[in-house]
Every structure is written in C-alpha cells, then in structure tokens.
Amino acid sequence: MESLGVGLSVVHDKVGPVNNTLAFADIAYRIRVNERARLAFGLKAGVDLFQVNLGGIQNVDANDPLFGQDLQAKAKPNFGFGMYYWTKKGYIGLSAPKLIEHDRIEVYGTTDVVSAIRQQRHYFLIAGYVFDLGRDVKFRPSVLVKAVEGAPIQLDVSAMFLLREKFWLGVAHRSGDSFSALIAYQINDQFKVGYAYDFSTTALRSYHSGSHELMLSYDLRFNKEKTLSPRYF
C-alpha cells in the first residue's frame, strides 16, 4: 500500500555514566486531503532501557551508599503518536514520542532512597512555509516548539532564503541557548551539501568557541519516471 509506511528505530545514547537504549517500531498512514495537501498519522511502540554506571564515578565520599553500585532499570514499554499536514509550500505537525511517564530508576541500589529520575512527557510542534519573494528568491521561515512539564517552553526559530533553487542561506535561534548560521548548495535533484556554525549564548560560551557542522544529503530515487519537485523542507 502506497499510503502505509513502517519503520524501526534503535538508539543508544551515552552521556558520561548514563546509558539510554531505545528500540521502537513505527507505522504511519497517509491520506489525501485534496489535490495539493496530505495528512499523515503515525504511531510508535517499543521499549526504553535506562542505566546509570555510578560505580565508575570518582566520589568525594567513598562511603556514600548512593554511589556504591550501578543503577539498573528494567526495560519499560512506551508508545507515541504524531500528526503531519503538508502541501508543496507549507507544513505543520504535532507529536508526543513517549506518552507514558515512567520512573527511570525507582530505588538506589540496596537503600530505600527513592529516585528523582522520572521520564516526563514531551510535546513537539513544528510549522513552516515557503514565500515567493521574486522570480529567483524564496523565503522559508520555520519554528519548532518544545514543551515539557516543569521546564520553560523552548523555541527553535529559523529563517532561510533560497536563491535560484540552488543556494540556501539562513540563520537560526534557540531560545535561551544559541544562534547559528547556515549555507547549503543543491548540486542536483538528489544531492545537497552544507555547512553550519553554531555559537552559544549561555555561560558555556566561556569554555568553547562554537561548533562547526558539515552536511551531506542524498535522496534515494526508486521511481526514475516520477517527476521530482524542489524540496523546501
């Protein structure tokens, strides 16, 4: 079925002593709203395994029971959903990747201290549109809104200009965190290269001079007879 899509995602994330492994299956269904618009619904289900290796941390108090052994968690199920509406020139989407709020670690080792590590439900809203400013110039603003209980709402806002359907130039801002600049070149219908520079607006800027990123993008074509339209997002 051309309107049905399936996928599998496996992620292993390690930050210091914290290890997080996720395995999720995804399914999506797309419907035609009219000749120019589509609406897609998505569901995902899987398991999340969270582990903290406290035994390898250098601790000031060697007798602290909280750092006496590693913290193991059972694999816990979860599921999420998403909706995405798009046309050739614009899009809007809403998602919640993990709907169940689990306690990641319920007890520290053999003590009776209850853990404060809890997985909160996150919500994401995305939107963008392409405006024609002239024969060879297009303007594409976009926004990403991230919300979670107990934290301020965060906005990622970007403004991109497309020149002659080839050159991308733009800037982006993450509220309370950073600014970035980007340039990209569309070599052909399938291949694009780009470069971005990001610098922090927080106290961390005293410890680094920003980050450099290189991008290579390639779109696979399985139907060579199909007419391709420019990709704006």
Side-chain angles (χ1 to χ4, degrees):
M1 296 177 60
E2 295 184 359
S3 298
L4 186 67
V6 295
L8 176 68
S9 58
V10 179
V11 178
H12 178 70
D13 189 23
K14 179 178 175 60
V15 180
V18 179
N19 291 276
N20 195 21
T21 303
L22 307 93
F24 280 85
D26 307 273
I27 184 170
Y29 186 76
R30 182 182 62 189
I31 62 176
R32 175 179 299 201
V33 179
N34 54 46
E35 291 298 324
R36 297 184 179 181
R38 303 290 186 272
L39 177 63
F41 302 88
L43 293 173
K44 65 187 309 171
V47 294
D48 185 350
L49 180 63
F50 188 79
Q51 179 183 11
V52 184
N53 300 318
L54 294 179
I57 298 178
Q58 293 183 353
N59 186 26
V60 176
D61 183 2
N63 297 319
D64 190 337
L66 298 182
F67 290 84
Q69 58 183 321
D70 296 340
L71 305 182
Q72 302 287 343
K74 297 180 180 179
K76 296 185 177 181
N78 216 319
F79 67 96
F81 86 99
M83 300 174 60
Y84 185 68
Y85 173 85
W86 78 100
T87 67
K88 182 180 177 180
K89 290 294 188 70
Y91 65 92
I92 184 170
L94 174 67
S95 68
K98 296 179 181 178
L99 291 174
I100 302 177
E101 295 184 329
H102 287 301
D103 287 328
R104 290 289 187 88
I105 305 290
E106 296 178 356
V107 176
Y108 283 112
T110 59
T111 70
D112 294 328
V113 181
V114 178
S115 169
I117 303 176
R118 182 172 177 81
Q119 180 174 269
Q120 300 288 349
R121 188 179 300 118
H122 290 65
Y123 297 96
F124 299 89
L125 174 68
I126 58 174
Y129 196 81
V130 177
F131 296 92
D132 292 313
L133 300 185
R135 180 178 176 180
D136 296 320
V137 181
K138 290 179 172 60
F139 175 56
R140 192 204 67 185
S142 62
V143 62
L144 166 63
V145 183
K146 294 173 280 187
V148 59
E149 183 180 355
I153 293 178
Q154 189 174 66
L155 298 177
D156 289 13
V157 182
S158 66
M160 301 289 296
F161 290 90
L162 177 59
L163 311 177
R164 294 182 177 273
E165 302 284 355
K166 289 290 185 181
F167 287 98
W168 288 97
L169 298 171
V171 294
H173 172 57
R174 175 170 294 169
S175 60
D177 184 77
S178 63
F179 282 93
S180 59
L182 179 146
I183 182 172
Y185 179 67
Q186 189 77 42
I187 297 176
N188 53 41
D189 291 338
Q190 297 173 266
F191 192 54
K192 181 168 65 175
V193 297
Y195 165 79
Y197 174 71
D198 179 279
F199 62 94
S200 175
T201 58
T202 69
L204 292 176
R205 65 181 180 273
S206 301
Y207 303 94
H208 68 85
S209 58
S211 62
H212 303 270
E213 299 179 27
L214 294 176
M215 177 190 70
L216 296 174
S217 174
Y218 185 79
D219 291 332
L220 297 175
R221 290 182 59 183
F222 297 101
N223 186 355
K224 295 183 179 181
E225 297 180 357
K226 185 177 180 180
T227 302
L228 293 179
S229 61
R231 288 288 300 274
Y232 300 128
F233 42 83

